[in-house]
Amino acid sequence: MKIRRMLRIDEHRQRQLSRAMQLILIGLIFIGLDRGNLGIIVNASVGLGVTYLPAILERDYRIPLDAGLTLWISAAAFFHAVGTVGLPGSEASFYANVWWWDHMTHALSSSVVAAAGYATIRAVDLHSDAIYLPGRFMFVFILLFVIAFGVFWEVIEFGISSVAALAGTGSVLTQYGLEDTLFDLVFDTIGGLIVAIWGTAHLTDVVGAIRSRLDGSER
């Protein structure tokens, strides 16, 4: 019930918060340009793009996202991008200086990934009579999907960091070692658990919209 209350926000307030995030992300891009920091520029630019994703999904694909879900998606990208910068006047990022920042962003981002995976597979389950996925399996699926995606992301981070080190340039993504990787996967799992236990009720309309598109594609 607490999660349900947290996601209840009116559209006017959501638009205000989303616009504020977008303005801050634009500011971060200029900070990255001023510092010549490719990581800040790329992460802020991607984050800015993600804040427009809910509107695109609603407009072009008719997938309904209420104000809470829209803010949830935007916040995940926003906090990740902010984490690459840090406090004014400091070259060190929040990721480097604030011990819990990486854990927070991994849990938040993985919850969005879990929601996307659940909505898609649940829509396929409802769409096809040949597929039946029991409720208990859906719980397990969400966790396995998040963990698998988390491992894939860590491999990407390792690859990008290695290439950047060989090239002698700054890395867009940074991996801080094996212990950090293990903690990342733990908090990825926590994000998946949040969705599996409390979040699926908020995705009913999204599941229905995806199912309708699947049904329509066969006509």
Side-chain angles (χ1 to χ4, degrees), residues 160-171:
I160 292 177
S161 297
S162 298
V163 171
L166 291 173
T169 61
S171 178

Side-chain angles (χ1 to χ4, degrees), residues 18 35 37 39 41 50 57 71 75 88 98 103 115 157 161 167 172 209 216:
S18 294
R35 295 182 183 180
N37 189 314
I41 297 170
V50 170
L57 290 175
L71 196 61
V98 182
H103 304 330
E157 279 190 349
S161 297
V172 174

Side-chain angles (χ1 to χ4, degrees), residues 24-42:
I24 292 172
L25 289 171
I26 291 172
L28 295 185
I29 293 173
F30 282 104
I31 290 174
L33 290 170
D34 179 64
R35 295 182 183 180
N37 189 314
L38 181 62
I40 295 176
I41 297 170
V42 171

Side-chain angles (χ1 to χ4, degrees), residues 28 31 35 40 81-98 101:
L28 295 185
I31 290 174
R35 295 182 183 180
I40 295 176
V82 170
T84 64
V85 183
L87 293 172
S90 173
E91 292 293 327
S93 68
F94 282 119
Y95 277 120
N97 274 349
V98 182
W101 195 274

Side-chain angles (χ1 to χ4, degrees), residues 141-184:
F141 168 80
I142 291 173
L143 295 184
L144 292 178
F145 181 79
V146 165
I147 292 171
F149 189 89
V151 171
F152 177 67
W153 182 258
E154 295 301 323
V155 171
I156 291 176
E157 279 190 349
F158 176 78
I160 292 177
S161 297
S162 298
V163 171
L166 291 173
T169 61
S171 178
V172 174
L173 298 173
T174 303
Q175 191 174 60
Y176 296 99
L178 181 59
E179 183 178 355
D180 175 70
T181 297
L182 292 175
F183 272 114
D184 287 348

Side-chain angles (χ1 to χ4, degrees), residues 51-84:
T51 63
Y52 288 100
L53 181 61
I56 294 172
L57 290 175
E58 287 193 285
R59 184 192 65 209
D60 297 346
Y61 299 96
R62 298 180 183 177
I63 295 177
L65 296 173
D66 63 30
L69 289 175
T70 297
L71 196 61
W72 178 16
I73 296 169
S74 299
F78 173 76
F79 284 114
H80 169 67
V82 170
T84 64

